[in-house]
Amino acid sequence: MTKEIYTRIIGTGSYLPPRIIKNSHFLNNKFYDLSSKKLLEKPNEEIIQKFKEITNIEERRYVAEDQVTSDVAALAIKDACKSAEINEESLDFIIVAHNFGDILEGNIRTDVLPALANKVKMKLHIKNPSCIAHDVVSGCPGWTQGMIIADAYIKSGFMKRGVVVGADVLSRISDPHDRDSMIYADGAGATIVEAVESEEPTGILSHSSRSDSVSYANLLTLGPSSNPDFEGNELFIKMAGHKLYIYAINNVPGVVRESIENAGLDLSDIKKVFIHQANEKMDEAILNGVFKLYREKHIPEGIMPMSIRKLGNSSTATVPTVIDLVLKGKMEGQEINPGDHCIICSVGAGMNINSIVYKW
């Protein structure tokens, strides 16, 4: 058989910020309705309980006051390089997926000059001028988009080894007067990818993507505070949660199925589904939708590892973080074995969807 070039993950890393923020942190917030701008009449205890029932989020992580997104991205890459047993200087490329650049504590302005990838390269002290560095801004699917780009680099023969990191600090861009602020978290996850020649398919086998912007670009935007008395002109994350939920459950399953078919596999071949940790009920509905497309009623227990209960939604960081935690045995009852086929999937602002089929 002829050998082909595949993109394989040789190391993973993550950074979980030090500040643990429980749901009780929001008990004294004043929450306003997104549309009417009126103060919500329900007590916060009831609002928080309903939020937990829908998302299953109990706590999330926030960065320290002196940390920014490029800091946590660099720390996740260091962790990944350590697990891959490689030197940072051996990297041919650095792709940093994020949404808001660096945001200082107390200053909501975003800083993307230079690009975060260049800041990360500086913070890692990588001197190799042949190591290219660039960002990917593609909503929550930024890391999966970065992996698809990395696969193209490697399969073209242009690059041999690189890192894709997803990092976001959403705590500084969320509106404290918006119930959705309880969803958002901070963190970073990274994967070292490398070219491998193999007669048998391995690593990234296929991927499928979809982008619907004409009708759905306004589901996640930046906008003014929900509090009409808020002083200042800052813009915060604003989400049309129900419409986003409907879009995701209607469209993600088809993209997942397409990626499985592109790999020449069947749903029964898939051992794990690593999906963006946005909302547990939404993720469960997406998984149910995938199985319905195959007319399969039984969903194997534990097929979809979930970290959202303790880590919240850290956007581009969620998927690589979950993968890292499972590979390192840090999620009870979860493991990946050689030869396992997995789905790696994300949906978010744009609206954008990516699904990758990966063989370990």
Side-chain angles (χ1 to χ4, degrees):
M1 293 179 66
T2 304
K3 288 187 177 180
E4 295 186 22
I5 297 175
Y6 293 92
T7 302
R8 185 178 63 184
I9 296 171
I10 64 168
T12 62
S14 59
Y15 179 75
L16 306 182
R19 297 168 58 199
I20 298 174
I21 307 296
K22 296 184 179 296
N23 286 349
S24 57
H25 173 84
F26 301 94
L27 280 171
N28 295 323
N29 285 38
K30 290 184 177 181
F31 293 120
Y32 290 77
D33 181 76
L34 183 62
S35 301
S36 68
K37 305 291 185 180
K38 292 182 179 180
L39 187 66
L40 297 179
E41 296 180 355
K42 291 181 180 179
N44 279 8
E45 290 85 351
E46 186 176 335
I47 292 172
I48 292 171
Q49 179 58 33
K50 184 67 174 178
F51 165 82
K52 162 117 180 11
E53 291 172 1
I54 293 172
T55 65
N56 200 31
I57 297 174
E58 295 178 356
E59 58 189 48
R60 71 286 293 145
R61 298 293 187 102
Y62 286 179
V63 294
E65 291 185 358
D66 61 346
Q67 290 179 316
V68 291
T69 305
S70 57
D71 291 325
V72 298
L75 290 167
I77 292 174
K78 280 187 177 181
D79 188 34
C81 287
K82 182 179 179 181
S83 71
E85 298 182 343
I86 65 163
N87 188 289
E88 288 92 339
E89 291 289 343
S90 69
L91 296 172
D92 295 324
F93 61 85
I94 299 169
I95 299 175
V96 178
H98 64 93
N99 286 291
F100 303 107
D102 283 343
I103 302 176
L104 296 173
E105 178 74 15
N107 185 343
I108 204 169
R109 294 173 183 168
T110 63
D111 176 6
V112 287
L113 186 66
L116 260 60
N118 295 101
K119 292 181 180 180
V120 167
K121 185 176 180 182
M122 175 187 68
K123 290 176 180 182
L124 292 174
H125 303 288
I126 298 174
K127 297 179 180 180
N128 176 11
S130 298
C131 173
I132 66 168
H134 68 84
D135 294 4
V136 170
V137 180
S138 189
C140 293
W143 176 81
T144 51
Q145 189 65 54
M147 287 291 286
I148 291 170
I149 294 169
D151 187 46
Y153 282 162
I154 286 174
K155 286 186 175 175
S156 70
F158 180 47
M159 301 287 184
K160 299 296 184 184
R161 174 187 290 172
V163 62
V164 184
V165 59
D168 267 302
V169 174
L170 303 185
S171 61
R172 293 177 186 164
I173 198 76
S174 59
D175 180 5
H177 301 291
D178 188 339
R179 284 170 291 184
D180 289 335
S181 64
M182 294 186 285
I183 293 175
Y184 306 123
D186 308 338
T191 43
I192 308 295
V193 292
E194 186 176 74
V196 58
E197 290 189 13
S198 175
E199 293 180 351
E200 294 292 330
T202 185
I204 294 178
L205 304 186
S206 70
H207 46 79
S208 183
S209 299
R210 175 172 178 155
S211 181
D212 296 284
S213 300
V214 174
S215 299
Y216 300 104
N218 62 349
L219 298 190
L220 269 163
T221 59
L222 289 180
S225 174
S226 297
N227 181 354
D229 298 321
F230 181 83
E231 295 183 1
N233 60 358
E234 289 86 354
L235 299 178
F236 303 93
I237 306 173
K238 293 295 162 181
M239 177 172 62
H242 181 67
K243 290 181 180 179
L244 191 153
Y245 178 93
I246 297 301
Y247 171 84
I249 64 174
N250 284 340
N251 293 289
V252 175
V255 178
V256 171
R257 180 175 67 175
E258 185 176 74
S259 67
I260 294 172
E261 291 175 349
N262 287 346
L265 301 174
D266 188 76
L267 180 63
S268 60
D269 297 310
I270 304 301
K271 302 302 181 185
K272 292 293 177 189
V273 176
F274 293 104
I275 193 168
H276 169 49
Q277 308 287 299
N279 173 321
E280 188 155 315
K281 281 196 173 180
M282 186 178 84
D283 288 349
E284 289 173 350
I286 290 171
L287 186 66
N288 283 326
V290 173
F291 275 73
K292 282 183 180 179
L293 288 178
Y294 286 87
R295 298 182 180 180
E296 178 61 60
K297 295 181 179 179
H298 173 67
I299 299 178
E301 185 176 353
I303 192 173
M304 185 171 68
M306 298 298 296
S307 65
I308 194 168
R309 183 167 65 93
K310 295 295 184 183
L311 300 182
N313 177 356
S314 55
S315 191
T316 59
T318 68
V319 179
T321 297
V322 172
I323 292 173
D324 180 55
L325 294 176
V326 171
L327 283 173
K328 292 177 178 174
K330 295 180 179 180
M331 291 190 73
E332 187 176 351
Q334 294 287 349
E335 63 179 10
I336 301 174
N337 297 306
D340 283 354
H341 293 96
C342 301
I343 292 294
I344 301 172
C345 177
S346 189
V347 57
M351 293 295 288
N352 299 318
I353 305 170
N354 293 318
S355 180
I356 298 169
V357 177
Y358 189 91
K359 183 179 179 181
W360 298 95

